Amino acid sequence: MVKNKPGHILVIRLSAMGDVAMTVPVLIALTRQHPKLKVTVLTRKFFAPMFESIPNLSVYEADVKGRHKGVFGLWKLYKELLQLKIDAVADLHNVLRSKVLKRYFQFGGIPVVQIDKGRAEKKALTSGNPKFFKPLKTTHQRYTDVFVKLGLPVDVSKKQVLSKQRLSEKTLGLIGVNSKKWIGIAPFAAFEGKTYPLELMEEVVSELNESEKYTIFLFGGGADQERTLEGFKKKFKNCLNLVGKLSFGEELALISNLDLMLSMDSGNAHLAAMYGVPVVTLWGVTHPFAGFSPFGQDLDNALCSDRNTYPLIPTSVYGNKMPEGYEKAMHTILPKTVVDKLQLILDRD
């Protein structure tokens, strides 16, 4: 525990997008419950729009591929950060770069508390041993633990979300105006093991499209994903492919206005959750028990692959390990199950 309650803290969370988004509800709670606290978030410039509407919070860019690259670049970054008169550091990343920064800050007499990622517990969870299959502490809880150790207790049990954002003229011109409910679909993930098969996702989109009740926004990134989603757009009249059409800030504003988001175990789930949008997640060889469920969502909104058929799930925390024979694990999540869940939530609202 830090002896003196800090007045200005530096929060380090450099990447990845989903993990950065998971800090948002915690930082909302932190700034609301400690209104005199000043917070600076050290992260990539691209992620800055996530934090724009949080009071008493600013973003400092970590240019780790440019002027802050390497040990000497991090020393330069440290010297820049010293000018901000930081009282304490919350390292929510705990990787090599942040460990180097930790040494620098400690050398300067500034206390640093690093996140406990629970690596041993997660290794046990992914070992395939049934006795270790139990829910672990959530990432949001691990973040709050850091602030508690800094003398800044945080309660995230209540809904801590960002407000709905105003859509830009560019966005409105692109999507048009209608009275249908808006569904976001983000059908991709970093690894094949947690990506719902496209032929099954097409069945989901087809049924939603045929209902004529929804406008479907397709989220992704990169040329390959753009081509795939453009194919969906051409096939289904109620679909709109957003890849490359909007800035990240404009995408966030649109996400904040959705009625529902359908996502893999991936960053888009956390982006929607930080606005309080209902999120249905599809889990392949990963599992919510590892602690990466989107914030504030009902547990039954997580549709998981069948562990009776595939008992080694979760095979890894991030989905990067696919045991032989587990290639079709996500086929056990039927398109009808997905559509029924989406419609149940949308009809309820």
Side-chain angles (χ1 to χ4, degrees):
M1 179 78 73
V2 174
K3 290 182 179 180
N4 298 316
K5 188 174 180 179
H8 185 188
I9 65 167
L10 177 73
V11 177
I12 302 175
R13 182 65 257 193
L14 302 174
S15 62
M17 185 171 70
D19 293 313
V20 176
M22 291 177 82
T23 68
V24 170
V26 180
L27 293 176
I28 293 171
L30 178 71
T31 55
R32 285 177 179 171
Q33 293 161 30
H34 301 276
K36 294 183 179 180
L37 178 69
K38 184 177 179 181
V39 180
T40 297
V41 176
L42 179 67
T43 193
R44 288 172 51 196
K45 183 179 180 180
F46 179 80
F47 297 137
M50 297 187 201
F51 303 99
E52 284 178 352
S53 58
I54 302 178
N56 298 330
L57 184 149
S58 59
V59 172
Y60 197 93
E61 178 191 356
D63 183 15
V64 295
K65 293 184 179 180
R67 72 181 192 275
H68 300 142
K69 184 178 181 180
V71 174
F72 295 110
L74 290 173
W75 176 257
K76 184 176 182 181
L77 173 60
Y78 162 69
K79 298 294 282 185
E80 292 172 13
L81 293 168
L82 281 183
Q83 304 305 309
L84 304 180
K85 302 191 181 303
I86 302 292
D87 297 315
V89 177
D91 178 8
L92 305 185
H93 203 175
N94 197 351
V95 294
L96 182 59
R97 285 192 184 101
S98 63
K99 288 177 181 177
V100 171
L101 285 173
K102 173 186 175 180
R103 295 294 186 190
Y104 294 157
F105 279 111
Q106 288 178 327
F107 175 76
I110 297 173
V112 179
V113 176
Q114 290 182 304
I115 187 174
D116 176 6
K117 291 186 173 182
R119 289 187 175 95
E121 306 155 58
K122 290 173 181 175
K123 185 176 180 180
L125 177 68
T126 57
S127 68
N129 189 329
K131 75 177 183 178
F132 295 121
F133 183 68
K134 58 185 178 182
L136 303 183
K137 184 180 290 189
T138 69
T139 300
H140 300 99
Q141 290 172 317
R142 295 185 187 279
Y143 289 162
T144 61
D145 288 347
V146 173
F147 295 115
V148 168
K149 290 178 181 177
L150 286 170
L152 299 164
V154 184
D155 178 9
V156 291
S157 60
K158 297 179 181 179
K159 205 87 170 177
Q160 308 286 348
V161 295
L162 297 173
S163 300
K164 186 181 294 188
Q165 303 296 300
R166 186 174 181 177
L167 299 179
S168 68
E169 292 298 321
K170 177 183 174 182
T171 302
L172 290 171
L174 176 67
I175 67 177
V177 179
N178 60 62
S179 59
K180 295 179 179 180
K181 290 198 171 183
W182 291 1
I183 300 176
I185 297 183
F188 303 104
F191 300 103
E192 182 183 354
K194 57 179 186 177
T195 302
Y196 198 52
L198 282 174
E199 66 272 18
L200 300 185
M201 184 59 77
E202 186 169 335
E203 291 184 41
V204 171
V205 173
S206 177
E207 189 162 343
L208 294 172
N209 177 73
E210 288 176 10
S211 74
E212 295 290 344
K213 294 163 61 177
Y214 313 115
T215 298
I216 303 162
F217 299 108
L218 303 171
F219 293 86
D224 290 343
Q225 293 183 13
E226 181 178 13
R227 280 191 294 271
T228 299
L229 297 183
E230 193 62 24
F232 276 43
K233 177 203 166 188
K234 290 177 180 178
K235 194 167 186 177
F236 304 113
K237 66 176 183 178
N238 293 308
C239 285
L240 183 62
N241 171 24
L242 295 177
V243 179
K245 305 292 194 304
L246 301 171
S247 70
F248 182 54
E250 288 168 330
E251 276 200 8
L252 288 179
L254 179 54
I255 288 172
S256 78
N257 283 271
L258 294 176
D259 293 290
L260 185 145
M261 171 68 86
L262 172 64
S263 175
M264 307 300 102
D265 166 24
S266 66
N268 283 282
H270 303 294
L271 295 178
M274 71 187 195
Y275 291 103
V277 173
V279 181
V280 173
T281 43
L282 306 183
W283 301 74
V285 296
T286 57
H287 195 278
F289 277 12
F292 292 97
S293 290
F295 180 77
Q297 300 297 315
D298 292 339
L299 292 177
D300 60 1
N301 285 3
L303 304 181
C304 301
S305 299
D306 184 3
R307 290 190 71 255
N308 291 321
T309 306
Y310 299 97
L312 296 180
I313 291 174
T315 64
S316 65
V317 171
Y318 301 109
N320 56 330
K321 295 180 182 178
M322 174 93 77
E324 186 176 350
Y326 276 60
E327 293 80 5
K328 292 194 173 183
M330 291 193 85
H331 283 75
T332 60
I333 307 173
L334 301 179
K336 184 180 187 307
T337 303
V338 179
V339 173
D340 288 349
K341 173 60 70 174
L342 299 180
Q343 291 180 332
L344 177 66
I345 294 170
L346 290 165
D347 291 345
R348 187 171 62 206
D349 295 338

